[in-house]
Amino acid sequence: MKYSRVWRRGDDSCVKSMLTCTCLCTSQQAKDVCQPEWPENGGEWSDGEDGTNMDCGLLQAMAEEDEEIDVHNEETFGMDLDVHGTTEAPGDLLQFGDLPPPPPPPPPPPELKPPSPHGSPSPPRQRPQYLSRAPPGQRGRGRAQRGGLGRGQMFDDPAVMRTVQGRPSIKGLDSAIVDCGDAMYQNTFEDDYMAPSSRKTRRVSGSILQDSAIVCVIDGHRGQHPTSNFLDTPYPVSPFRGRRGELRGSYPRRQFGHRGLSRMHPSVVPGSPILSRQPLTPRQHYNQTGGFMFPTNRPCPSTQSLPPKMMQHRFGANSPRPSPIYSPSSNSVQHFRYPGPVTQLHPQHKRLLSQKQRIFQRKPDNWDPYCNLMTAKEKEWITRLQMIQLQSEHPYLEDYYYQEYYRRIEAKMAEEELGIRGKREPLKLTTPYITKTDSYTPVVHIEGSLGQVAVSTCYSPRRAISAVHAVQGKGPHEEQKDIRQQRLEVLSKIEKLFVVLLEVEETERMKTTVLSEAEERRLREKTQAKVQHIYSQLQHHEPLDSGGEFLPFLLVSKGKRLLARLLPFLKQDTALRILSIVTCNLPTLMSRDTEEALPVLYPPLRNVIGGLTFSQLIEALKDFTSDSLTCESLTLACQNKFGLSLLYALLSHGEKLLSSGVPLEPSIGDFETWTDTIFQVAGQLSQCSLVEPLLLPSNLLTLFCRYLDKRTVHQLKSNMESATGYLALPS
Amino acid sequence: MMLTLSLVGKDVVVELKNDLSICGTLHSVDQYLNIKLTDISVTDPEKYPHMLSVKNCFIRGSVVRYVQLPADEVDTQLLQDAARKEAMQQKQ
């Protein structure tokens, strides 16, 4: 396939003629008017010509033609066409045969610029140069098809810009789209798509002629007829050509039956940005579809049925047109204004273009400033990517409409056209079916993680991590897991209780509003119920082997915080219970308080302590001191902020009670225990190094003074002060 | 979002999904968590030299992976409560 043909010119002046010849015919009359510049002897063109037949002679011929075109353009469009200083005359871009640029019915779709073989047709019109020529073998066919069209249809040569009845190439419409080399877009699509009813052949409007973006050579309409055995579209998915049969896609190709053509719109990659910019001009002649020439290097689809000019790649038997793409953009095209021949390009852009042109068979700069921005490989790559995105295992689920629509169309066609060899089969773009499904584990459990690890898939982009504890059977190996499970359970429970606590706090805050008595009572009851619920939940945790009431929760910092916030709501007796639990298990708590969350319990416990009776206080103190023989608990407490503070708080409260004069109602032995405790504590405090407590009560020294001698007191004082760093106690 | 609103004017570090970390002063935030930072610098190794000349930036919310907040500006307990409340509301 010789797409590479002509473009191979070294000089800039080369290509313009070739390219875009999409024959855009804007009006029927135009067609008549248009005198194909190309040799009228279109039929004489040898069918045997091979696209590869580029030789110097051809090049020369092309050069000549270019000049002619230039002249024509100048005449038609004025001198300003040639901006880029190419050797070609201005206005190489669109050249219609001899068409004056007819205004297209709706806003001039700057469609393809058909090459306008203007002036003297050069002999080698039959250039095999069409870029997008079909494989050599097919050219003949195409020609034959063309034969009937007559003069105006001589735009076989893609290089020739003339389009009498072509469909404006999409590229033409969008100056930014270019690459004539890769004629991916077939302008034709739009035509078919948009205006099923308009069979007019329109000439490309003058604006199109001026549009340097027109690249695609469309061979169009000539004969196009229902020849539709060609499917147009230079679908960029040339890479998929090989898989035609398998491709399926969401590019439905519309078939406009009324035209008698089973033209297909080129399948366009839906996502292709370029394509989307292509304006669909309803008015574009439908006929043109077939004639797309891609001046690409890609081989044409090799189906025999394709006309030589078919650049369109046919994917599979029925490649649908990507119609959806065109419809919205059809209007947009109309407002699209092409830069025209005088396109001021950014110097870098120019440089880039010229570079690319060197690489590709090119087109003159002024012809199409945006062509060859991407290499063929890049285009193929993108096309492939886009096709991959189309793959689906459930086509009926994901693209129901398309599947169904084409199924019906095909059924209808089969019914109607039994005799015809599938010429009218609607083209469908088929993407490869995915046969294998990757099975993914939606839930991945990693050891040590909290619940499930989020595995992101396209079906579930993110799975929330949930602290779910799956109950597992206990096994030797699962001891550790069990611990973790337990921890997770505890945490999960805490979270649930937190929610309740938040409600409690909320109602507490709302209590400031004045409510009726009944309401208040009800609220209070509710709150109490909630509080009780939390309390009981904290108290008993399964499995109960975790150490007793509350302990599992207290060991977790979040649990500590929960309890700390719960305490104010608890009644004194329940709160006392908690206090005792804390003091009893202080060593454990202190040792496992890795996050140092214990201090959070201090303020509420202090309040609780403040409400203790003397006996209760003594009880609490007993827990502190009655532990092991070595007063381990006391020692540890001195080393721990919380422990020490708690101790201080207890002592301070005792002192307060004692000095307050309130009848203490002590139980038997309370005072003794009290005194003993004082001594013990004093001894301990003076010996160990103390940490700074959270709060140093002011009456401690007074307490000590009462029981201890001055020396000890002094020692204590200095010890305590050194810890706190300031003179906290009255001497 | 209210949290981030409360942090306007503070220094934050925004880590993006492309692993770029940007430190800057939070200028504004919107409902999509688009972030405007002023006086930015790339915190981690300056392997993104293209940011050297940038002083202010607008970051689209969808590309943010983390926003690192100053620890002392945020009341974590309050934040936890807010999150719990929001979770509660969503369930209902």
Side-chain angles (χ1 to χ4, degrees), chain A residues 37 79 83 136 148 156 158 176 195 208 272 278 290 298 329 349 359 386 474 608 643 645 656 661 693 723:
Chain A
E37 196 168 31
M79 288 304 296
V83 197
D156 289 344
I208 294 171
S272 151
Q278 319 226 340
R298 285 194 248 142
S329 57
H349 193 177
I359 298 169
Q386 290 169 327
K474 301 213 183 188
V608 173
S645 316
K656 198 168 69 151

Side-chain angles (χ1 to χ4, degrees), chain A residues 34 89 235 333 365 371 378 396 414 433 438 468 540 572 595 684:
Chain A
C34 178
Y235 185 43
V333 175
D365 262 325
C371 75
E378 290 168 358
Y396 256 84
Y433 281 106
D438 299 310
V468 170
H540 301 291
Q572 188 65 13
E595 291 163 37
Q684 196 70 31

Side-chain angles (χ1 to χ4, degrees), chain A residues 367-420:
Chain A
W367 173 268
D368 193 349
Y370 295 94
C371 75
N372 289 337
L373 283 175
M374 285 172 73
T375 67
K377 272 201 156 187
E378 290 168 358
K379 289 180 199 156
E380 287 181 24
W381 175 68
I382 287 193
T383 301
R384 234 177 266 128
L385 279 181
Q386 290 169 327
M387 291 300 285
I388 286 173
Q389 291 170 357
L390 295 177
Q391 294 173 358
S392 155
E393 308 162 41
H394 314 285
Y396 256 84
L397 282 179
E398 290 172 12
D399 202 359
Y400 175 78
Y401 178 81
Y402 170 81
Q403 299 290 327
E404 192 55 31
Y405 182 79
Y406 278 89
R407 195 188 58 78
R408 292 182 191 177
I409 282 192
E410 281 165 25
K412 199 164 42 130
M413 297 310 297
E415 229 179 27
E416 291 175 18
E417 330 263 354
L418 279 175
I420 303 176

